[in-house]
Structures are given as C-alpha cells and as structure tokens.
C-alpha cells in the first residue's frame, strides 16, 4: 500500500490503519488490533531486516518495546548475545527489565524469553541507579511516515519511556530509533500533528523495505513535566523519583494544572528532595544492610522522625521483594528492619526530609496484589 494522505488528527490516522488492517486481513494475533500496537502477518520477516542495519551490528545494549510485532527483534538480540532491555508494562513497577536467559539456553528457551511470558519469567528489574547505556531503541508504531514522524496507540508510554531514558542519561540525541511496521502503516502524516514530546524514528523496517528517514527533527530532551498529570504520577511511581531528582537539580518540574494551584493565595508548594541517596561518608555496607528484627521496633527507643513504617506486606513477601521495589524507585534507606511475620518493615533514612520524600514516592506501591501502607513510624506508633 502506497503512502497516502489520511485523517486530520492522530486518532483519525489510528482508526484508519486499524480498520484497514482488519478489513484486509493483514492483522495477526492478538486481534482485533484496535487500541493496540498492531501485530501483522509478516512481522517476523520485517524484524529480520534489522540484521542489515550497521547500528544493530554495533549495538551492545538494545531497548525493545514489549509489543508482539517486535518479538522477532527481541529474539535476534538474544541470539546475538546483546543486552536486551524491555520496559515494564505501563511502567507500573519500574522502567526496565533486563532479560536474562538461563545458562546454556537452547533456541526454544530463547524464543520463550522473547515472548511476553518470557519477559515476566526470565528478567530482572533495572533500577534508576543502574548504569545503563542504550545503543539502540526499537519501538512499535500504529503509523509512521517516511519523514520519521510516528504515531503510537495514544497512551504515550513509548514517548514517556524515551523521555525517562534521556533523564536517566541512558540515551543521547544520537541514539538511533527503529520502528517495525507493515507496509500499509507507512503513510503521510502532517507535520503539524507532531508535538515536542513525540519520538521520531530514524529507520522504518517493513516486510519489503528498509527506510532510512534522515529525520532531523530534534528528539525529546527529557520529560515534559507540564504534560504529566497527577493521575499519571500516581500510576507510575518511578516518575515521582525522577521528578524529585530533577527538582533537586534545579529543573522546572511543574505538573499539568499546577500553575493554577500555585497562584492561589495561602497555598504552599511542596518541594521534593532527593530520595534514598547514600551520604558520601556512609559506608556502602551500611547503606545496603538489612536488620532482621523479629518483634522489636526500629532502634532501641521510640521511632525517629527519619523512620518510615511500611505495612500490609503480603504474607508471602520476602525482604528481597521490598528491596527491589525500593531500588527501582530510588528510595533505598540506610537500613531496613524486616518484620515479615507481622507483615511490616521499617525503613531508616538519614533525615526527616528524606523520609518524607520517600513516603511520597512509595504511596500507592504494590507488592503482588496488596497496596502497602506507608507512614512515618512515629505517626504509626501514635495511632
């Protein structure tokens, strides 16, 4: 299908692509493809074309979205022994999972690792403090133009993931972006629909073509905070940690709709501080230590203002589960007191301000199906 002029809005374009792929039976499982990054017949063949790109041959660390039509690229990355990073679904528990096949994995095991189930079963989370340097980004698309303009499914996760990687220092403006689509998804997209937070792509792979877009439009240089709503901040805990870091660095992190609030008389602005950073004179062993308490409150006396209570832990939770979540949110304490039988833990931070910011970041955190209760330990004791 030749590139063609389509609708006047992003949603018009999405609907026309989805309808066309279904009506022409170009779509593949899972169907219907509406409201998805559409899988298509020939997606595996399109994925094979990435082997012809020098940027793939040179890459050591590649980030590939979890969409079904990109499964072939994930498999090729594993077969080529590249480090494969896959975003966590809807960024609920962090940003990346690193796919780690078992030693001596067979071809069948590698194929499983490349699937959505494999991402769950053969991966370890990568926290904000991990030193990640991504050489290549592979994203799914609903529509894309030969100029490099891209339209996703409308939820903004791919754009946000890219912006978060920029904020982490995991990618630069030189990092190439590849998308893999059916030929019918390559269409004309009016440039006026492209916004500053939208990712553009450098290469488009289809079952029949390899398109170098030569796109010169600047890619997003970080998170556009005024586009981020309070609701999104609640859904994506890692955003709270990134916001605290950027606030500490002196950047404007005003959220969507906050300007009106800040102008109201008598309303104070809460300024987030950095969370979970180990003071320079704190030994690493102390920063990572866990106090395995069994029935005594944290410390020898009353809880301090810098102690945080975490309750409603799942009965089968392990201390490693909580530590992993804290690392992903950038909220690691100096010490952690684990009281699993009582379904609680205490986090010990260097000062009350850091403890308060940790509480903000941990609100809404889930382990399994349980939402944790988080509060200052002193307040919890008073209750």
């Amino acid at each position: 299908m030749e590139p063609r002029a389509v609708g006047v809005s992003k949603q018009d374009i999405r609907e026309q692509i989805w309808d066309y792929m279904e009506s022409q039976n170009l779509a593949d499982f899972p169907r219907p493809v509406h409201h998805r990054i559409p899988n298509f017949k020939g997606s595996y063949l399109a994925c094979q074309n990435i082997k012809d790109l020098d940027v793939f041959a040179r890459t050591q660390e590649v980030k590939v979205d979890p969409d079904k039509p990109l499964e072939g690229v994930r498999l090729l990355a594993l077969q080529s022994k590249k480090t494969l990073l896959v975003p966590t679904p809807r960024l609920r528990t962090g940003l990346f999972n690193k796919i780690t096949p078992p030693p001596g994995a067979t071809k069948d095991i590698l194929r499983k690792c490349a699937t959505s189930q494999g991402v769950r079963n053969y991966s370890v989370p990568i926290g904000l403090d991990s030193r990640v340097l991504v050489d290549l980004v592979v994203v799914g698309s609903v529509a894309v133009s030969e100029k490099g303009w891209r339209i996703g499914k409308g939820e903004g996760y791919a754009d946000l993931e890219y912006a978060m990687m920029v904020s982490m220092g995991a990618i630069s403006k030189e990092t190439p972006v590849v998308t893999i689509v059916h030929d019918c998804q390559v269409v004309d997209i009016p440039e006026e629909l492209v916004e500053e937070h939208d990712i553009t792509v450098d290469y488009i792979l289809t079952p029949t073509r390899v398109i170098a877009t030569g796109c010169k439009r600047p890619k997003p240089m970080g998170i556009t905070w005024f586009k981020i709503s309070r609701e999104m901040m609640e859904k994506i805990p890692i955003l709270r940690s990134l916001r605290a870091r950027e606030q500490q660095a002196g950047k404007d992190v005003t959220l969507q709709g906050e300007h009106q609030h800040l102008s109201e008389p008598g309303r104070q602005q809460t300024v987030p501080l950095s969370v979970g950073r180990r003071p320079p004179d704190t030994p690493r062993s102390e920063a990572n230590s866990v106090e395995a308490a069994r029935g005594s409150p944290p410390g020898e006396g009353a809880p301090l203002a810098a102690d945080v209570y975490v309750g409603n832990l799942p009965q089968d939770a392990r201390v490693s589960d909580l530590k992993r979540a804290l690392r992903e949110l950038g909220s690691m304490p100096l010490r952690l007191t684990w009281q699993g039988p009582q379904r609680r833990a205490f986090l010990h931070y260097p000062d009350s301000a850091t403890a308060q910011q940790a509480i903000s970041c941990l609100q809404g955190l889930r382990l399994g199906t349980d939402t944790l209760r988080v509060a200052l330990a002193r307040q919890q004791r008073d209750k």
Side-chain angles (χ1 to χ4, degrees), residues 127-198:
L128 281 181
D129 293 320
S130 301
R131 293 185 176 180
V132 174
L133 188 60
V134 176
D135 304 310
L136 181 66
V137 174
V138 183
V139 297
S141 302
V142 174
V144 66
S145 79
E146 292 190 11
K147 294 181 178 180
W149 317 148
R150 171 191 173 273
I151 295 176
K153 60 186 176 183
E155 295 181 345
Y157 284 105
D159 298 320
L160 183 56
E161 289 159 8
Y162 184 94
M164 292 167 74
M165 287 190 291
V166 173
S167 296
M168 289 173 60
I171 57 175
S172 71
K173 62 181 180 180
E174 308 299 332
T175 306
V177 177
V178 176
T179 193
I180 293 164
V181 295
H182 191 274
D183 289 275
C184 75
Q185 294 173 259
V186 183
V187 298
D188 291 335
I189 298 174
E191 185 173 0
E192 56 266 24
L193 295 183
V194 184
E195 300 179 73
E196 63 177 338
H197 63 272
D198 288 334

Side-chain angles (χ1 to χ4, degrees), residues 43 90 98 119 160 187 269 286 314 351 375 378 382:
S43 63
R90 296 182 177 273
K98 178 182 176 181
V119 170
L160 183 56
V187 298
Q269 181 181 8
E286 179 185 355
D351 52 59
R378 177 177 292 172
D382 293 342

Side-chain angles (χ1 to χ4, degrees), residues 37 41 44 52 84-85 91 112 114 121 124 151 156 176 217 242 268 272 280 292 297 300 313 333 336 338 360 366-367:
I37 297 296
K41 295 173 182 177
Y44 187 82
D52 297 331
L84 174 59
L85 303 176
L91 304 175
K112 290 180 181 177
N121 296 342
V124 294
I151 295 176
R217 184 185 180 94
L242 278 171
Q268 287 188 323
E300 297 179 357
L313 291 166
L336 188 157
W338 179 256
S360 175
R366 288 174 176 263
L367 285 185

Side-chain angles (χ1 to χ4, degrees), residues 90-95 128 160 164 167-168 223 225 228-249 251 253-255 258 270-277 325-331 353-367 371-374:
R90 296 182 177 273
L91 304 175
R92 289 283 171 82
T93 58
L95 180 55
L128 281 181
L160 183 56
M164 292 167 74
S167 296
M168 289 173 60
I223 299 172
W225 289 106
I228 305 295
S229 66
R230 283 284 178 188
E231 181 182 10
M232 185 174 287
M233 291 287 288
E234 291 299 321
K235 290 180 178 179
I236 307 175
I238 194 174
L239 267 180
R240 299 198 285 269
S241 295
L242 278 171
R243 188 184 185 221
R245 292 185 178 199
E246 297 207 351
Q247 173 76 55
Q248 186 71 6
K251 297 183 180 179
V253 295
T254 304
L255 299 180
E258 269 194 342
T270 300
V271 180
L273 301 176
S274 61
V275 180
R277 297 197 180 196
L326 293 170
R327 278 196 298 268
E328 290 173 356
L329 293 171
S331 299
T354 307
Q356 288 283 4
Q357 184 57 43
I359 290 172
S360 175
C361 287
L362 296 176
Q363 292 300 323
L365 176 64
R366 288 174 176 263
L367 285 185
T371 300
L372 305 187
R373 289 195 296 270
V374 184

